[in-house]
Amino acid sequence: MKLTQQTVRLVLAEPLRISRSTMTARDAVCLTVEHEGLSGHGEAVTSVFYGLDTPTLQRLATRAGERLTRFTGPETALHALRVGELTAPGTPAAMTAAVEAALLDLVGKRTATAVHRFLGSAVAPRAATARTISLTSPGRAAAQARELGEAGFSVIKIKAGDRDQEADLDRVRAVRAAAPAARLLLDPNGAWSAGQARALLPRFADLGIEAVEQPLTPGDPEALARLAARSPVPVVADEDAVTYEDARRLAGRVHGINVKLAKCGGVHAALRIAALIEDSGTDLMLGCLTASSLGIAPAVHIADRARWTDLDGHLLLAHDPWTGIGGEDGFVAAASRPGLGVRPRTEAGVRSAAS
C-alpha cells in the first residue's frame, strides 16, 4: 500500500467567532491510500486548540505512510489500527481518525460496500444536523436563523460566551423569535465559571434551550458533573470528554457527551464510547471540527446512533473540495455508494504537492 498526502486551504464563508477565538480558515491534510488500483481517502485538519499545525500533520502523515507499507492490504492494516498496532505511540487522535477513514473508504470500495453497512447499519443514516451561529449581533443572528429555517434546518446551535452576558441572551432571543420552531443548542466553549453558569442557565432554560455544551472552563470534569446534577438545561460535555476514559468518568453524570472523531481517534473509538454510555442516562452527540465533506463523512455513517447531530463543518466553508453528504437542506446523509461515498470536486485547489 502507498500513502500520499495533499494539503488544501479551507476558507470559511465568513469568520467563525467563539468565546476563545475567531477562525477564518484552516488547513486540511488529505490522505490517499492506494492498493491494487483503488484509493481510499481521509482528512485531518489543523487545530490550535489541539496543538496541530500544518507541518505537524504533514509529518504525522508521512510517518503513517511508512508504517502502512508493513501491511499486505487495507483489511489487515485496519485491524492493526483498531488494536493500536498501526500508528506510532503518541499519534494524535486526529491523524489516527484520518488514517482509519482512508482505510475504511478503501475497504468499502474493495468490497463494494458502503461504510455504514459494515459498521452495523443496513440503512444509510440520515440526520438533521445543527447549524452554527457564531458570536454576532442579535440582528445578524436573527437574519441567519430565518435563512436557516427557510432552508430546512430544524436545529440551530448558538455560540455563547460573550464578555457581555446579556448579549448572549439577546442573541438567543433573536434566534428564537426568527425561528420559533427550531430546536436550539447553546455552546459557550467553556467560557463560564460555575457561578456564572448557575446564574445564566435558568434564564436560557426560559428561552427554550434544549441543551448546553461545555458551559464550564475545561479541566474540572467533576465541576461539570456537579453543575449537570442541578442544571435546568441538559449539559453536554465536550472539551472535558476527549478520550474513552473521560467518557467513562462522566457517563451517567452529564446529560450528553459530544464525540468528535478528530478528538477520540475515529469511528471505532466513537462507537466504543457510544456503547459505553448507552443506557447510562448520558446521550451521544456527534460533533465535528470545521472540515470538508471528506472530513465529516465518517461521522455521518454513524449518525443514527446520536441524539444530537452537529455535523455542519463543511457547510461553513466558502468552497468545499469534496461532495457527497449533503446538509444544505438541514440533513446530512450517508451515501449508499461503496466506501465513504464522497467524491472530490474537480475544481478543488491543492496548496501543496502530493508527497
Side-chain angles (χ1 to χ4, degrees), residues 98-215:
V99 173
E100 181 199 48
L103 292 172
L104 286 170
D105 192 32
L106 182 53
V107 171
K109 290 172 180 175
R110 281 166 57 84
T111 58
T113 306
V115 164
H116 64 267
R117 293 188 65 86
F118 54 76
L119 293 178
S121 297
V123 178
R126 180 176 183 268
T129 181
R131 181 67 186 270
T132 301
I133 292 178
S134 68
L135 292 181
T136 188
S137 69
R140 176 61 178 153
Q144 290 178 325
R146 194 173 298 110
E147 292 171 1
L148 292 173
E150 292 171 353
F153 286 85
S154 59
V155 187
I156 297 175
K157 182 165 86 169
I158 308 165
K159 291 294 186 180
D162 201 301
R163 290 183 180 181
D164 179 0
Q165 293 168 2
E166 292 300 322
D168 285 339
L169 289 155
D170 289 342
R171 189 178 308 107
V172 173
R173 291 189 190 99
V175 170
R176 171 56 73 207
R183 298 163 55 197
L184 302 185
L185 308 176
L186 191 70
D187 186 7
N189 289 106
W192 298 337
S193 67
Q196 289 171 327
R198 287 193 297 268
L200 288 167
L201 287 177
R203 301 178 70 184
F204 284 112
D206 290 342
L207 295 174
I209 290 293
E210 181 174 318
V212 58
E213 286 183 59
Q214 195 65 44

Side-chain angles (χ1 to χ4, degrees), residues 197-198 200-202 205 211-212 215 224-236 255:
R198 287 193 297 268
L200 288 167
L201 287 177
V212 58
L224 193 69
R226 288 193 298 270
L227 177 68
R230 298 186 178 183
S231 173
V233 177
V235 172
V236 178
H255 303 91

Side-chain angles (χ1 to χ4, degrees), residues 157 258-261 286-291 295-296 299 310-314:
K157 182 165 86 169
N258 186 345
V259 173
K260 298 174 182 173
L261 305 191
L286 274 177
C288 64
L289 302 181
T290 303
I296 305 297
D310 180 24
L311 299 176
D312 69 336
H314 62 304

